[in-house]
Amino acid sequence: MPFAPGQGIKELEKLIVQHIPRDFLMACEDACFNGDEKGRMQATSFAAGHRPSAVGQNRHFFTNEAFFEALLAHGANPTPLRGTQVVIGQLGIFNVARVSVAGHKWASAFRRGSTRKLLSQFNVDIEQLYVQSDFFAATNEPVRGTIFIVGVVDGLDEAGNAQLTEVSLALPAPHMKSFLYTCKVSDFLSLYDQPDSVGQVDEAIPKLKNLSKKQTGNDQGNN
């Protein structure tokens, strides 16, 4: 049965805490900020007209490599690093991927690319049980879902280069027109210290059963 409004979000947070380790989220936050810093530093030698593109490309590659290592360290079986393709891992019931967003134009960034669209569709049961709150609708206990680590590029450094300002986690709605849940990683980490937080699962479900590594799409334009 769906949860009552308000209670559903709290239960969804518990579900995320159960399946996504605190240390992994901390590693993702570090990966995003370190990748951003390296990307901007490596781009300083380019001409001014090339520098914005160089910053974005470098940020993407440095962040993807660190994100891949974080997934690997937590047994998330990441898909291979390959150019601008989306890197995907799995922790518990959740597919985990990342995306960078220019400004706060989240919806448009998520709708780019077939892989993100496919991943978002796994949130159908989560939407119906925790967010939709339709007591007359049939619901299933979620056995699969998708979380994105979102790097928000909404600032400028001293050289005028686009700079990362925050890292959040987000569960997009299946239709990708809105979000079931968003929260800054720094704020979400406090939930692991709450007395009623549930213990994390010991065993993960089979990795990416319905999404083969050959299906991962292109992440070009979301550096």
Side-chain angles (χ1 to χ4, degrees), residues 72-219:
L72 198 63
H74 288 84
N77 191 31
T79 55
L81 289 166
R82 188 170 294 128
T84 57
Q85 287 188 355
V86 180
V87 175
I88 309 165
Q90 188 167 3
L91 291 169
I93 68 168
F94 287 105
N95 304 307
V96 186
R98 74 163 199 91
V99 63
S100 290
V101 176
H104 287 271
K105 300 176 182 178
W106 288 44
S108 60
F110 272 81
R111 285 198 290 269
R112 296 193 195 116
S114 59
T115 300
R116 284 190 285 275
K117 293 178 182 179
L118 177 60
L119 289 170
S120 298
Q121 292 171 12
F122 286 112
N123 286 335
V124 169
D125 289 336
I126 289 175
E127 179 183 46
Q128 293 177 347
L129 182 62
Y130 295 101
V131 180
Q132 200 172 60
S133 301
D134 184 352
F135 288 94
F136 298 100
T139 58
N140 299 310
E141 191 69 26
V143 295
R144 196 75 175 273
T146 295
I147 285 178
F148 283 90
I149 305 299
V150 184
V152 180
V153 182
D154 194 31
L156 296 175
D157 65 11
E158 294 179 354
N161 297 315
Q163 183 175 11
L164 186 78
T165 53
E166 67 181 60
V167 181
S168 296
L169 58 86
L171 279 73
H175 50 66
M176 301 189 73
K177 295 180 180 179
S178 62
F179 292 88
L180 306 180
Y181 182 80
T182 63
C183 185
K184 290 183 181 180
V185 168
S186 57
D187 293 336
F188 191 85
L189 292 175
S190 65
L191 297 177
Y192 291 87
D193 298 323
Q194 293 185 1
D196 60 346
S197 64
V198 295
Q200 294 181 346
V201 294
D202 295 323
E203 297 180 3
I205 64 173
K207 311 294 184 182
L208 295 172
K209 182 177 179 181
N210 297 321
L211 184 67
S212 69
K213 294 180 180 180
K214 292 182 179 179
Q215 289 176 298
T216 56
N218 193 290
D219 196 32

Side-chain angles (χ1 to χ4, degrees), residues 23-120:
D23 289 348
F24 172 73
L25 290 181
M26 294 173 66
C28 287
E29 189 174 41
D30 288 343
C32 290
F33 279 108
N34 291 339
D36 173 71
E37 183 177 8
K38 289 180 180 179
R40 288 182 287 110
M41 290 181 62
Q42 291 288 332
T44 56
S45 60
F46 286 88
H50 284 164
R51 198 170 300 142
S53 297
V55 168
Q57 284 284 76
N58 289 343
R59 179 190 296 118
H60 169 79
F61 291 129
F62 282 125
T63 305
N64 251 19
E65 289 181 2
F67 180 62
F68 177 91
E69 292 298 328
L71 290 167
L72 198 63
H74 288 84
N77 191 31
T79 55
L81 289 166
R82 188 170 294 128
T84 57
Q85 287 188 355
V86 180
V87 175
I88 309 165
Q90 188 167 3
L91 291 169
I93 68 168
F94 287 105
N95 304 307
V96 186
R98 74 163 199 91
V99 63
S100 290
V101 176
H104 287 271
K105 300 176 182 178
W106 288 44
S108 60
F110 272 81
R111 285 198 290 269
R112 296 193 195 116
S114 59
T115 300
R116 284 190 285 275
K117 293 178 182 179
L118 177 60
L119 289 170
S120 298

